[in-house]
Amino acid sequence: MPHRHPRPGRTGRHRKPAAPARRRRLTAACAGAVVAGALVAGGALATGTFGDGGGPRPPDGAGSSSVAAGAFLGSGSDGVRRIAELREWLGGADLRVGHTYLPGDTWERIESDPYFLRPWAEWRRADPDRLFVLNVPMQARNEAGVPDHEVRELLAQGARGRFDHHFRTLAGHLVSAGVPDTVIVLGWEMNGTTYTHRCAPDPRAWKAYWRRIVGAMRSVDGQRFRFDFAPSRGRDAIGWTECYPGDDVVDIIGMDSYDQPPGETFDDQVNQPYGLRHQVDFAAARGKPISYPEWGLFRRGDNAEYMRRMLDWIEEQKPLYHTISDYCPHGVWRCEENPRSSAVFRERMKPGASRPGRNRPEFCVDLGRWLGGWFGDRRLCVTLSWARKP
């Protein structure tokens, strides 16, 4: 189950006090000068947007994203039912990803059963373009606070093949259910401290254990699984590259990334060690697609700027798929705590919504940052297109 992020004591954002009048005039003048400079440089033409929405509004009929999108909406049949409801809320958006988690309390539940898989399999089989994503724990008692010395022993046992039969059973159930092409997010967030399937106590044994599991599941006739290696963003307990088990047993390089430290800004989240840029470069060097199985809001509350930037990043990087965690405090549909971020997500995900184009540079000034409390979360943006000299 994905409910493992500790809730911060306070997630609300503090309103910054208004700047003194002279300082406001100075910052306004500076912001205007910067924008004017951007407009003049290179003889650029510009169209501007001033409002709360997700950046500049391009012409009507702009194309939608080609990235497969979805949300985690619940583990069982309720999660399947909500996909259609979310799609309606988004104005008919093409939600092609169904995402759920196997419980990690017992081996019997990790093996799954036809009853649990049936609604997901029926949803997947109804459309060949759909993608079924299943998070699979590598250990029972996965959220039981098992100490490092015991985790170390369990990893060693897994590397020797003690648990192979559980994963062969799971693979057989998936094939029998008619979802042999499931994306398996195996041992997610292994670089952290939360799960019994964590890597840091013995990275060598962890990698060997991953390889055993993939070998066991691939041994089942009829399978076409893809295995997604998905650490959490940042270093956490160990650099996630130290846990990477090998190109031959990894098909997708994912990352779970919430709006929380490490990093104070979205640029920090991109550029920090083991951050979003590191993931993209690491995958590109291996010819692997990327994914974002889990992402969403968190410690900074209703952060519309994060929502804009993360959706921009997804559109730019073109992952195989992404699924937002749609429950509080992370979500946008079923969480009333995040109305501004919800508006951004809804606007950007609806059919025909605008997406930033690489060939039209955008320059934005965060008005709330430069001009105190006057403009809240609004931005002034210009989209540049280069004019041909006569």
Side-chain angles (χ1 to χ4, degrees), residues 4-5 101 188-189 191 230-234 254-262 265-266 268-270 272 274-277 279 291-300 306-307 310-311 313-314 322-325 330:
R4 71 257 169 252
H5 295 291
Y101 297 70
W188 69 100
E189 298 182 10
N191 55 325
S232 57
R233 176 180 51 79
M255 181 164 281
D256 291 354
S257 185
Y258 291 89
D259 186 26
Q260 63 173 344
T265 67
F266 190 82
D268 293 339
Q269 296 178 21
V270 171
Q272 67 191 204
Y274 306 103
L276 294 171
R277 177 65 64 188
Q279 175 216 13
S291 72
Y292 298 105
E294 292 186 32
W295 69 276
L297 304 160
F298 194 14
R299 295 191 183 275
R300 298 183 180 92
Y306 165 82
M307 186 60 59
M310 188 64 186
L311 289 170
W313 178 262
I314 287 169
H322 71 97
T323 47
I324 191 171
S325 296
H330 312 305

Side-chain angles (χ1 to χ4, degrees), residues 343-358:
V344 172
F345 185 87
R346 192 177 189 187
E347 178 67 22
R348 288 286 298 273
M349 293 295 293
K350 70 181 183 182
S354 63
R355 266 82 184 181
R358 293 188 181 185

